Amino acid sequence: MTGSLAPNYAPLPVTIVWGEGAWVRDADGVAYLDMLAGYSALNFGHRHPALVAAAHAQLDRLTLTSRAFSHDLLEPFADALAALAAPAVVGPPMVLPMNTGAEAVETALKAARKWGYEVRGVAPEQATVVVAAGNFHGRTTTIVSFSTDDDARRGFGPYTPGFRIVPFGDADAVRAAIDETTVAVLLEPIQGEQGVVVPPDDYWPAVRVACDDAGVLLVADEVQSGLGRTGTTFACELWGVRPDLMVLGKALGGGIVPVSAVVGRADVLSVLTPGTHGSTFGGNPLACAVGLAVVELLATGEHQARARELGAHLHTRLHTLTEAGLIARSRGVGLWAGIDVDPERMTGRELCERLLKHGVLAKDTHGSTIRLAPPLVMERADLDLALDRLAVALV
């Protein structure tokens, strides 16, 4: 790297210049299997032909209007995404398109607060939101204010007030934290950055009941977990729970452009009237063209089924590595896994560096944990190849 680039990342020593499906190549022509998929932004792999075609067609026609004007794909995109999400959220849903996941989380927080003041009757400037320890919802100043990751939070104060942090997976703690000032409970269905931490099966249903009893909003951050990754279209469907608002991003842009959205109750999102919230690029024509193509890929259910099938195989293979003593434990759901190695043997970073030498790309998190999130389009033979190489790297 040159001295001109700010040092806010410490990437693995590889420079990628080409990608297709689950494979990438570096500047020297060396091929690697991508087992990270852009933190789920590449659910459909690199340069999926249907998504690339949609982007190319739109590039030849119109790329940006700003929301000062409408364009011919804005409402079709909203309608298609609303239809995809309708069975999974309290609805019928409304769609508010944005760009990045963090921007969509901020949008959901603003909508929840405004709804809390105007509808729930919370006293001015007193709104609170219940969140979980170990969360990762983005990097903005407000979001890091309720992070429990010291690296993400330290040095960025003063912090935004109004958040109550409770343990992840503890529904009783959520209920106890809710009071007359609470407007929403914001949670990830599965904590990705924390190491693909899956809560107990009774957690989300109990949180839904707690929110209903108190009359507050349940907001699900599905930026990483949504859009097929867990073998369902949205992770909340694993427990039969419908949130009031759902935050989407990453895979919604097909690995081509940043696309995000808040989807959910129209009476909540309708509090954001003209002039109260906006985004120059949110819902732009290129984003809508790609987003529409993503929704069409998911509408068939093929990719969700593939994530279930390959995911079952992934977790069986990881269980075998645990039984062999090569990893301490693994967890996850669908085509998504967190792997803990014995810290006395190596760190997660060291394992990722070993994997790199064996032609596999993965990412560490929190010491001796790595995450695997291969593209949903990965061939089973390639998944086995990556797992074989993982076994070699662990020895």
Side-chain angles (χ1 to χ4, degrees):
M1 288 190 177
T2 69
S4 302
L5 186 63
N8 62 317
Y9 280 91
L12 291 167
V14 58
T15 301
I16 299 169
V17 300
W18 174 92
E20 183 173 357
W23 287 91
V24 298
R25 285 202 298 264
D26 68 11
D28 297 319
V30 178
Y32 302 85
L33 275 165
D34 184 354
M35 291 288 283
L36 182 64
Y39 304 104
S40 290
L42 288 156
N43 277 5
F44 309 100
H46 296 266
R47 296 193 301 122
H48 189 287
L51 304 181
V52 170
H56 272 302
Q58 192 61 36
L59 280 168
D60 289 337
R61 197 167 66 85
L62 181 70
T63 57
L64 178 67
T65 61
S66 93
R67 289 298 301 276
F69 315 101
S70 190
H71 61 83
D72 61 337
L73 292 183
L74 183 58
E75 291 193 11
F77 169 64
D79 290 344
L81 184 55
L84 183 73
V89 296
V90 176
M94 180 175 281
V95 172
L96 201 169
M98 302 301 286
N99 302 287
T100 67
E103 188 181 10
V105 171
E106 288 274 3
T107 298
L109 289 171
K110 288 177 71 175
R113 283 179 169 177
K114 201 163 192 291
W115 172 87
Y117 296 131
E118 296 181 0
V119 179
R120 180 161 161 74
V122 174
E125 306 300 315
Q126 298 302 307
T128 60
V129 176
V130 179
V131 298
N135 71 77
F136 183 84
H137 298 285
R139 301 281 191 182
T140 65
T141 305
T142 289
I143 291 172
V144 300
S145 295
F146 57 87
S147 173
T148 57
D149 181 342
D150 190 55
D151 285 339
R153 189 175 192 273
R154 184 182 64 255
F156 298 115
Y159 301 109
T160 306
F163 299 95
R164 293 175 180 162
I165 304 171
V166 300
F168 183 64
D170 186 341
D172 290 338
V174 172
R175 181 180 286 273
I178 295 172
D179 64 15
E180 69 279 358
T181 68
T182 307
V183 297
V185 175
L186 167 65
L187 300 168
E188 299 158 272
I190 297 165
Q191 289 192 329
E193 180 73 16
Q194 191 66 13
V196 193
V197 178
V198 183
D201 283 341
D202 61 354
Y203 177 62
W204 271 87
V207 170
R208 176 71 273 183
V209 171
C211 290
D212 289 341
D213 289 347
V216 303
L217 305 176
L218 177 56
V219 183
D221 181 346
E222 293 259 15
V223 171
Q224 279 198 60
S225 62
L227 305 178
R229 172 57 56 190
T230 61
T232 51
T233 306
F234 308 104
C236 284
E237 294 177 287
L238 293 168
W239 303 286
V241 171
R242 295 190 302 162
D244 299 290
L245 296 178
M246 187 159 54
V247 182
L248 302 174
K250 292 194 185 296
L252 193 57
I256 297 177
V257 289
V259 184
S260 67
V262 182
V263 184
R265 283 171 47 180
D267 64 309
V268 177
L269 290 179
S270 292
V271 303
L272 297 176
T273 53
T276 60
H277 188 61
S279 169
T280 300
F281 281 85
N284 68 77
L286 183 59
C288 288
V290 174
L292 265 171
V294 166
V295 172
E296 289 172 1
L297 289 176
L298 289 166
T300 67
E302 174 188 347
H303 290 86
Q304 296 90 319
R306 189 172 183 80
R308 290 193 298 273
E309 176 188 346
L310 289 179
H313 183 61
L314 167 66
H315 295 294
T316 297
R317 293 278 319 259
L318 292 177
H319 180 68
T320 300
L321 294 177
T322 303
E323 288 187 323
L326 293 176
I327 58 178
R329 67 192 63 83
S330 69
R331 67 198 154 268
V333 63
L335 209 50
W336 202 16
I339 300 171
D340 298 333
V341 295
D342 184 345
E344 294 186 1
R345 295 184 61 223
M346 68 186 82
T347 66
R349 172 75 182 204
E350 288 168 341
L351 178 54
C352 288
E353 290 171 348
R354 290 189 182 193
L355 283 169
L356 182 66
K357 293 177 180 178
H358 291 286
V360 176
L361 302 182
K363 182 67 175 69
D364 60 292
T365 184
H366 297 287
S368 292
T369 298
I370 72 167
R371 288 164 288 172
L372 301 180
L376 310 186
V377 298
M378 176 174 272
E379 297 293 337
R380 179 168 172 145
D382 288 338
L383 178 60
D384 276 327
L385 178 60
L387 293 171
D388 289 344
R389 292 177 177 181
L390 171 62
V392 172
L394 285 163
V395 174

